[in-house]
Amino acid sequence: MFALHPQLKQDTIHIGEFELCNVLLMNDVRYPWIILVPKRENKTEIYQLTESEQQRLLNESSFLSHVMSTLFSADKMNIAALGNMVEQLHIHHIARFKTDVTWPKPVWGVGQAEPYSEIAKKAMMSQLTHALGEYLI
């Protein structure tokens, strides 16, 4: 049975679900950062998904990237499946800006996460659920 890794559960805010993936907001106000987690147990790599699941993941990731790029007017979308710290398969989608604190370097290992305030969290969740619209189930 699928269960979200405890670290992902601790570090994120649940937005909703796509057909294949849980959609999670990283609790770090410094970056618009969403993580897709395929709802499949014991998967650590994309190639472990069936061919149709791989295609679904690509479709969901591409849709999310387009929405985030447009919604936040990102200079670049960083998309990564690292899994070095959390082995459960998950795909990071981070809207990057030439003005952000780590540009052009990666966001990992720089500074401390700054959690959303309740007001900022509600505003971000409202923006995202509206933008993701009918794709959320």
Side-chain angles (χ1 to χ4, degrees), residues 6-21:
Q7 190 68 52
L8 290 172
K9 193 177 256 188
Q10 176 184 316
D11 293 345
T12 63
I13 302 158
H14 187 263
I15 297 170
E17 296 182 19
F18 290 159
E19 184 179 320
L20 177 66
C21 295

Side-chain angles (χ1 to χ4, degrees), residues 5-109:
H5 188 282
Q7 190 68 52
L8 290 172
K9 193 177 256 188
Q10 176 184 316
D11 293 345
T12 63
I13 302 158
H14 187 263
I15 297 170
E17 296 182 19
F18 290 159
E19 184 179 320
L20 177 66
C21 295
N22 278 318
V23 184
L24 310 171
L25 174 64
M26 185 66 134
N27 194 10
D28 188 350
V29 73
R30 297 176 303 159
Y31 311 97
W33 185 340
I34 298 177
I35 300 173
L36 293 182
V37 183
K39 298 175 280 188
R40 300 295 183 266
E41 59 182 306
N42 301 320
K43 302 299 182 205
T44 58
E45 305 293 342
I46 294 171
Y47 71 80
Q48 294 171 333
L49 299 172
T50 66
E51 190 173 318
S52 64
E53 290 170 339
Q54 290 175 33
Q55 188 60 52
R56 169 56 47 199
L57 178 60
L58 179 61
N59 291 345
E60 291 179 1
S61 177
S62 294
F63 171 76
L64 177 61
S65 297
H66 176 75
V67 167
M68 290 179 69
S69 182
T70 302
L71 182 62
F72 302 114
S73 300
D75 292 317
K76 177 74 175 104
M77 287 299 302
N78 286 178
I79 303 166
L82 301 176
N84 298 345
M85 301 293 287
V86 173
E87 64 278 0
Q88 183 174 45
L89 178 58
H90 62 288
I91 317 299
H92 298 267
H93 296 74
I94 309 166
R96 297 296 306 275
F97 309 92
K98 293 177 181 172
T99 57
D100 72 41
V101 296
T102 57
W103 183 269
K105 296 181 173 127
V107 299
W108 287 276

